């Protein structure tokens, strides 16, 4: 078992057995540092008090403290007033007192948790473990407070885009199976499976990460520069050039819901599901033969929409029939999947999960 965690738990049990008066202290490197003393502390009620009044049942829970709590704990200070002497309005104000650090108990109390007689807090900085002794309803508030701290950490959104191509008949089966559910993850898994069997072709797999309100972009393919016409200036004929991205262009602005269960996505999606074809164009010239140039025709689908997607779910963006100049060719279709999920920045979620695992198993060496 993690020796620091064992030391933390041992200190609490020792305090309980000896009825110590310390109801809030921190552990630094495995040593107790007293920060506040209150009459009562862990002291057990006398028999006469128990007869006269039913004492509340106190339970003890151990919590993994989110990293953001430790940051707040190390930064939280309580300012001390420096009012001038009220008996002498002309007196010099006293020197400002050094601010005092808020205790772990005070921070939890600021979240609405109350500590009655016998309730206590032990916070171990090295292990990010907090042992709280309180009534059941207050322990539930403590857990809700820690969860809210985890959710309030800087959150990002990860978008993954997958595009497949297969026979129209095969993709029709996939879309029919997904028509009764809002989460199309099973259809995506089936598509990946069919890719491994060489039944489907995986033509695009791209990811992007963003923060709420930011615009994220995915571009794949190549730029095609073509002549769209000509201009005559000062007896000169100048070609008008345009550039188009032949491939996939995806722009998205994502905003997670307040409870972090869903994500609101504003999507602008352009997808070329076939290579452009060209036809001959002619630009008339005064007093001379027309200029020939090639005019491209694009096979492009555009989706401009807003969707609400559950965190971690997958949605089919659309299906696009692939046109072929060969009338005998098999009918083929492309399908685009979008998967959206939340993540905590700077490894905060990973740290939290690892600390929780270590606290439960007592093995800090297991990742």
């Amino acid at each position: 078992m993690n020796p620091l965690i064992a030391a933390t738990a041992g200190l609490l049990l020792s305090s309980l057995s000896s009825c110590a008066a310390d109801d809030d202290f921190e552990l630094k490197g495995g040593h107790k540092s007293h920060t506040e003393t209150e009459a009562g502390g862990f002291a057990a009620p006398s028999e006469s008090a128990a007869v006269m009044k039913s004492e509340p049942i106190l339970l003890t829970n151990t919590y993994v403290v989110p990293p953001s709590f430790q940051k707040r704990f190390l930064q939280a200070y309580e300012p001390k007033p420096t009012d001038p002497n009220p008996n002498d309005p002309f007196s010099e104000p006293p020197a400002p007192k050094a601010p005092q650090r808020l205790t772990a108990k005070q921070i939890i109390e600021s979240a609405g948790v109350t500590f009655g007689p016998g309730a206590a807090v032990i916070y171990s900085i090295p292990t990010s473990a907090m042992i709280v002794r309180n009534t059941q309803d207050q322990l539930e508030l403590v857990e809700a407070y820690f969860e809210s701290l985890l959710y309030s950490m800087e959150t990002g959104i990860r978008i993954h885009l997958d595009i497949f191509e297969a026979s129209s008949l095969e993709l029709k089966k996939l879309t029919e199976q997904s028509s009764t559910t809002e989460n199309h993850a099973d259809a995506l898994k089936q598509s990946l499976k069919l890719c491994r069997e060489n039944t489907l072709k995986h033509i695009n797999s791209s990811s992007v990460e963003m923060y709420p309100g930011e615009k994220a972009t995915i571009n794949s393919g190549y730029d095609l520069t073509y002549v769209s016409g000509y201009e005559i200036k000062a007896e000169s004929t100048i070609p008008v050039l345009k550039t188009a991205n032949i491939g996939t262009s995806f722009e998205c602005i994502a905003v997670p819901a307040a409870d972090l269960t869903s994500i609101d996505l504003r999507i602008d999606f352009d997808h070329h599901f076939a290579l452009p074809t060209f036809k001959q164009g002619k630009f008339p010239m005064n007093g001379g033969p027309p200029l020939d140039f090639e005019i491209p025709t694009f096979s492009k689908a555009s989706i401009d929409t807003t969707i609400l997607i559950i965190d971690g779910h997958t949605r089919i963006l659309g299906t696009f029939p692939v046109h072929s100049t060969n009338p005998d060719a098999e009918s083929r279709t492309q399908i685009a999947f979008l998967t959206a999920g939340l993540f905590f920045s700077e490894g905060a979620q990973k740290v939290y999960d690892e600390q929780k695992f270590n606290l439960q198993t007592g093995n800090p060496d297991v990742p």
Side-chain angles (χ1 to χ4, degrees), residues 171-283:
L171 287 185
K172 183 180 179 181
K173 296 177 183 178
L174 283 176
T175 54
E176 287 178 348
Q177 294 170 0
S178 304
S179 60
T180 59
T181 176
E182 291 187 356
N183 186 12
H184 302 150
D186 289 341
L188 175 58
K189 292 178 182 178
Q190 180 66 13
S191 299
L192 293 170
K193 177 177 179 293
L194 293 175
C195 277
R196 293 190 292 269
E197 299 173 357
N198 295 322
T199 304
L200 268 70
K201 182 180 180 182
H202 203 171
I203 62 176
N204 192 305
S205 179
S206 306
S207 295
V208 65
E209 294 180 354
M210 72 198 82
Y211 292 112
E214 291 183 348
K215 178 185 288 187
T217 302
I218 296 175
N219 285 317
S220 61
Y222 64 96
D223 288 337
L224 172 68
T225 301
Y226 60 95
V227 177
S228 63
Y230 290 88
E231 290 183 352
I232 299 177
K233 294 183 177 180
E235 299 182 356
S236 297
T237 303
I238 302 173
V240 178
L241 302 179
K242 288 187 177 180
T243 301
N245 176 262
I246 308 302
T248 301
S249 175
F250 176 88
E251 291 185 351
C252 177
I253 298 176
V255 178
D259 59 359
L260 299 183
T261 59
S262 60
I263 309 167
D264 189 32
L265 301 176
R266 182 74 175 83
I267 296 170
D268 187 2
F269 176 73
D270 291 326
H271 174 61
H272 291 256
F273 48 85
L275 294 175
T277 58
F278 296 87
K279 64 181 180 179
Q280 202 71 18
K282 293 183 180 294
F283 184 79

Side-chain angles (χ1 to χ4, degrees), residues 21-103:
D22 298 340
D23 72 341
D24 182 23
F25 52 89
E26 308 131 39
L27 298 181
K28 301 179 180 178
H31 301 285
K32 184 176 74 171
S33 175
H34 174 70
T35 59
E36 183 176 348
T37 301
E38 236 179 68
F42 286 107
S46 64
E47 291 186 7
S48 59
V51 172
M52 296 177 59
K53 182 179 179 180
S54 175
E55 293 292 335
I57 298 176
L58 298 179
L59 305 175
T60 301
N61 279 356
T62 302
Y63 303 93
V64 179
V65 176
S68 54
F69 179 87
Q70 182 167 336
K71 181 178 179 181
R72 181 182 178 188
F73 177 80
L74 295 175
Q75 294 179 348
Y77 286 90
E78 184 179 23
K80 295 298 180 182
T82 56
D83 295 334
N85 185 351
N87 298 323
D88 185 1
F90 300 102
S91 64
E92 293 291 333
K97 297 181 180 180
Q100 295 183 355
R101 183 198 300 277
L102 294 177
T103 66

Side-chain angles (χ1 to χ4, degrees), residues 130-199:
M130 181 172 292
I131 302 176
V132 182
R133 183 183 185 186
N134 214 323
T135 57
Q136 179 63 39
D137 59 333
Q138 296 305 307
L139 291 178
E140 291 175 358
L141 291 178
V142 173
E143 184 171 358
Y145 171 61
F146 287 150
E147 289 181 354
S148 70
L149 285 179
L150 179 63
Y151 292 154
S152 67
M153 288 187 287
E154 192 173 20
T155 304
I157 303 98
R158 182 179 293 109
I159 302 293
H160 195 86
L161 185 67
D162 289 284
I163 304 177
F164 303 88
E165 182 179 315
S167 69
S168 299
L169 181 60
E170 192 68 47
L171 287 185
K172 183 180 179 181
K173 296 177 183 178
L174 283 176
T175 54
E176 287 178 348
Q177 294 170 0
S178 304
S179 60
T180 59
T181 176
E182 291 187 356
N183 186 12
H184 302 150
D186 289 341
L188 175 58
K189 292 178 182 178
Q190 180 66 13
S191 299
L192 293 170
K193 177 177 179 293
L194 293 175
C195 277
R196 293 190 292 269
E197 299 173 357
N198 295 322
T199 304

Side-chain angles (χ1 to χ4, degrees), residues 317-341:
L317 272 182
T319 58
F320 322 106
V322 180
H323 303 295
S324 174
T325 56
N326 183 1
D328 298 326
E330 178 189 34
S331 174
R332 298 185 68 79
T333 301
Q334 293 182 3
I335 185 170
F337 292 91
L338 181 145
T339 304

Side-chain angles (χ1 to χ4, degrees), residues 2 5 354-366:
N2 188 326
I5 298 174
E354 287 180 351
Q355 290 175 346
K356 185 175 182 180
F357 179 84
N358 293 339
L359 185 62
Q360 291 173 344
T361 63
N363 184 5
D365 299 326
V366 179

Side-chain angles (χ1 to χ4, degrees), residues 285-302:
M285 297 289 293
N286 294 330
L291 292 177
D292 295 332
F293 66 103
E294 291 185 326
I295 303 174
T297 300
F298 301 109
S299 299
K300 184 178 76 170
S302 296

